[in-house]
Amino acid sequence: MTVEIIAIGGYEEVGKNMTAVKVNEDVIIFDMGIHLDRINIHEDTDIDRMHSLDLIERGVIPDDTLMKEVDGKVKAIVFSHGHLDHIGAVAKLAHRYDAPLVGTPYTTALIKKQIKGERKFKVKNPIRTLNPGSKLKLSKGITLEFVQSTHSIPQAVFPVLHTPDGVIIYALDFKFDNHQKVSPPPDYKRLREIGQEGVLALIVETTNAMNFEQVKTYSERVPRIILEDLMEDPLNDNKGLIVTTFSSHIERIQTISDIAKKSDREILFLGRSMERFLGIAENLGILKLPKNSAIHGSPKAVNRALAAAEDDRSKYVLVTTGHQGEPDALLPRIASGKTPFNVKNGDNIIISAPIIPNPTNEANRHIMEAKLKASGARIYANAHVSGHAGREDHREFLRMVKPAHIIPAHGDLSMLTAYGQLAEEEGYRIGNNVHILRNAQAQVFNDYVNE
């Protein structure tokens, strides 16, 4: 037996996720994501027209050139869910591999959108959809299973590789949420069964590993209650109402829609990413928007909608992009007076998203909120819960699947190490059965490892 886990991206940063698993001569790649922080730094970069080697040099996408040294045949490229830090590099890298792209229906629809927008490379990989709870044979000895998970985007799964030498679970990203509207709860029963079968290795996210205050991540029903309270009065007065959240957070979009449809206001979803994520979710029957709603993505359509709202703000709820204060996104542009809609005294702004922690986001968000307040807006910030497992969720997960080995991922060195410390509380040991990898490093499991 020889199993090798190769860290390509996401082991020195949050994002840019890409991992390869080699089982004898078969190779399975998981995720091809982008590093969102680097894109913020290069705001004027047209990624669709850039070469992959340039993006690798800038640290935007994973450096997969090391795969040239891996002696094996890539059997599949598997995607855990549709966030850009997991699928954003697919159009730049997938064409190098003679292998199908595998994901859930929503994830593969987003991947097709990524590929369609590509201007530099022709991506002709076949695309295979696999539903949660289903299996796909990848080679004579390897079967892929998608186990139902929950996250802040629909149809997130735990990809599970069944091999002759044990199970490998790829757990990027997840939370344990039993009360979502658009997604069923995680399949705890199946996870426990897999744990009994024997898990060789767990590759697991570390997003909240350093957050000692976040013992367990709250369910999405918590922001539902918060948003109901926050939106009740603004919906019934004659002031403007803007709500901003992640475009990909279809669960949150559904909540906002359900609350707003009880009023007489029309709901306007504004921005290109809103059009992309909501349009696909609605077409697949995942998102159910009310009749008094409309989606506008192109700049002209957005400006027309904003002009209508400016004429009578009491008739509309504006749901926009730009919760991080990104200068080119819609809400920061509204705050800067660059659109037909002008924020006025008493208008209500609800921010249903946290500040993603880095200095650029913190500065942008501060500037945006300062401008909105200067215009007289009332701001209700952070009506949100995390889409990532808390420390106690991770502890429960480890007890559920009982991995022989753990490889922390999706974080910088301090986050990976923090997860290792959590694992040590559960009887594991860093350097023994918890393996801290850096990008371009590999962990090899030979016969003696599990003896």
Side-chain angles (χ1 to χ4, degrees), residues 192-243:
R192 291 189 179 95
E193 290 172 351
I194 291 169
Q196 293 299 320
E197 293 173 17
V199 175
L200 172 63
L202 169 66
I203 305 164
V204 60
E205 67 148 306
T206 63
T207 307
N208 283 331
M210 296 179 68
N211 188 349
F212 291 91
E213 294 179 358
Q214 186 172 357
V215 177
K216 183 173 175 61
T217 300
Y218 292 126
S219 166
E220 266 298 310
R221 67 177 173 182
V222 172
R224 284 205 294 271
I225 295 169
I226 294 171
L227 285 165
E228 284 174 358
D229 282 347
L230 292 181
M231 293 175 67
E232 183 176 6
D233 289 339
L235 282 170
N236 294 314
D237 67 20
N238 60 355
K239 302 294 185 179
L241 174 56
I242 300 175
V243 185

Side-chain angles (χ1 to χ4, degrees), residues 344-370:
K344 296 181 180 179
N345 189 52
D347 285 348
N348 299 280
I349 315 290
I350 297 174
I351 303 175
S352 188
I355 300 175
I356 298 173
N358 69 49
T360 302
N361 288 341
E362 290 165 0
N364 286 339
R365 176 86 163 250
H366 175 77
I367 292 167
M368 178 184 74
E369 289 192 23

Side-chain angles (χ1 to χ4, degrees), residues 326-343:
E326 316 95 298
D328 291 335
L330 185 54
L331 184 54
R333 291 177 58 242
I334 291 173
S336 299
K338 296 179 179 179
T339 73
F341 184 87
N342 296 296
V343 175

Side-chain angles (χ1 to χ4, degrees), residues 172-417:
L172 276 66
D173 298 327
F174 73 99
K175 67 184 289 188
F176 288 153
D177 194 338
N178 303 323
H179 304 285
Q180 291 198 4
K181 285 188 171 187
V182 302
S183 298
D187 192 343
Y188 303 111
K189 178 175 181 290
R190 183 60 187 140
L191 290 172
R192 291 189 179 95
E193 290 172 351
I194 291 169
Q196 293 299 320
E197 293 173 17
V199 175
L200 172 63
L202 169 66
I203 305 164
V204 60
E205 67 148 306
T206 63
T207 307
N208 283 331
M210 296 179 68
N211 188 349
F212 291 91
E213 294 179 358
Q214 186 172 357
V215 177
K216 183 173 175 61
T217 300
Y218 292 126
S219 166
E220 266 298 310
R221 67 177 173 182
V222 172
R224 284 205 294 271
I225 295 169
I226 294 171
L227 285 165
E228 284 174 358
D229 282 347
L230 292 181
M231 293 175 67
E232 183 176 6
D233 289 339
L235 282 170
N236 294 314
D237 67 20
N238 60 355
K239 302 294 185 179
L241 174 56
I242 300 175
V243 185
T244 182
T245 192
F246 297 94
S247 306
S248 61
H249 205 322
I250 302 303
E251 177 78 22
R252 193 71 53 77
I253 294 292
Q254 186 68 67
T255 291
I256 293 165
S257 302
D258 291 347
I259 296 168
K261 75 179 180 182
K262 299 173 186 176
S263 73
D264 294 328
R265 295 186 181 227
E266 184 178 352
I267 312 163
L268 302 180
F269 296 97
L270 306 175
R272 281 179 174 156
S273 61
M274 285 285 178
E275 185 178 51
R276 178 170 70 252
F277 285 104
L278 274 60
I280 292 172
E282 194 174 25
N283 288 339
L284 291 175
I286 298 169
L287 175 66
K288 294 176 173 55
L289 293 177
K291 292 180 180 179
N292 62 328
S293 65
I295 305 171
H296 302 285
S298 72
K300 287 184 178 180
V302 169
N303 281 336
R304 283 196 298 269
L306 289 172
E310 173 68 14
D311 289 341
D312 191 349
R313 61 196 55 226
S314 66
K315 288 185 178 179
Y316 300 94
V317 178
L318 308 181
V319 184
T320 74
T321 59
H323 47 82
Q324 295 304 304
E326 316 95 298
D328 291 335
L330 185 54
L331 184 54
R333 291 177 58 242
I334 291 173
S336 299
K338 296 179 179 179
T339 73
F341 184 87
N342 296 296
V343 175
K344 296 181 180 179
N345 189 52
D347 285 348
N348 299 280
I349 315 290
I350 297 174
I351 303 175
S352 188
I355 300 175
I356 298 173
N358 69 49
T360 302
N361 288 341
E362 290 165 0
N364 286 339
R365 176 86 163 250
H366 175 77
I367 292 167
M368 178 184 74
E369 289 192 23
K371 290 178 179 178
L372 291 169
K373 288 176 182 176
S375 298
R378 301 177 68 188
I379 298 177
Y380 307 87
N382 205 17
H384 183 70
V385 296
S386 176
H388 298 268
R391 287 176 62 84
E392 289 307 308
D393 298 306
H394 279 291
R395 196 185 308 278
E396 182 181 353
F397 190 39
L398 291 176
R399 295 179 182 185
M400 211 179 292
V401 300
K402 302 178 179 67
H405 297 271
I406 299 171
I407 297 179
H410 202 349
D412 60 27
L413 182 60
S414 61
M415 296 164 69
L416 307 187
T417 303

Side-chain angles (χ1 to χ4, degrees), residues 57-78:
E57 185 178 346
R58 295 185 184 212
V60 176
I61 67 174
D63 184 356
D64 73 332
T65 55
L66 63 90
M67 289 298 292
K68 295 176 183 177
E69 309 301 320
V70 176
D71 185 18
K73 166 67 176 172
V74 177
K75 294 293 184 178
I77 304 169
V78 179

Side-chain angles (χ1 to χ4, degrees), residues 40-232:
N40 285 337
I41 291 170
H42 301 284
E43 288 171 350
D44 57 346
T45 301
D46 185 355
I47 292 176
D48 290 342
R49 299 181 184 277
M50 287 188 65
H51 197 283
S52 56
L53 294 178
D54 191 13
L55 291 169
I56 287 170
E57 185 178 346
R58 295 185 184 212
V60 176
I61 67 174
D63 184 356
D64 73 332
T65 55
L66 63 90
M67 289 298 292
K68 295 176 183 177
E69 309 301 320
V70 176
D71 185 18
K73 166 67 176 172
V74 177
K75 294 293 184 178
I77 304 169
V78 179
F79 298 90
S80 55
H81 63 283
H83 280 145
L84 288 175
D85 54 343
H86 296 261
I87 70 167
V90 63
K92 299 299 181 183
L93 302 179
H95 67 281
R96 303 181 186 186
Y97 306 95
D98 182 18
L101 313 177
V102 185
T104 58
Y106 186 61
T107 301
T108 53
L110 291 169
I111 287 170
K112 289 175 183 176
K113 200 85 170 177
Q114 285 288 122
I115 292 171
K116 187 176 180 181
E118 175 61 20
R119 295 292 179 265
K120 194 72 178 177
F121 301 105
K122 294 188 181 298
V123 181
K124 297 182 179 179
N125 304 61
I127 296 176
R128 298 285 301 272
T129 59
L130 188 66
N131 288 311
S134 299
K135 295 181 179 180
L136 176 66
K137 189 171 183 178
L138 300 179
S139 71
K140 185 177 180 181
I142 301 177
T143 298
L144 172 68
E145 178 180 4
F146 275 177
V147 178
Q148 176 66 49
S149 177
T150 47
H151 185 36
S152 51
I153 191 170
Q155 297 186 358
V157 292
F158 297 111
V160 176
L161 280 188
H162 297 271
T163 82
D165 305 300
V167 171
I168 299 165
I169 301 176
Y170 184 79
L172 276 66
D173 298 327
F174 73 99
K175 67 184 289 188
F176 288 153
D177 194 338
N178 303 323
H179 304 285
Q180 291 198 4
K181 285 188 171 187
V182 302
S183 298
D187 192 343
Y188 303 111
K189 178 175 181 290
R190 183 60 187 140
L191 290 172
R192 291 189 179 95
E193 290 172 351
I194 291 169
Q196 293 299 320
E197 293 173 17
V199 175
L200 172 63
L202 169 66
I203 305 164
V204 60
E205 67 148 306
T206 63
T207 307
N208 283 331
M210 296 179 68
N211 188 349
F212 291 91
E213 294 179 358
Q214 186 172 357
V215 177
K216 183 173 175 61
T217 300
Y218 292 126
S219 166
E220 266 298 310
R221 67 177 173 182
V222 172
R224 284 205 294 271
I225 295 169
I226 294 171
L227 285 165
E228 284 174 358
D229 282 347
L230 292 181
M231 293 175 67
E232 183 176 6

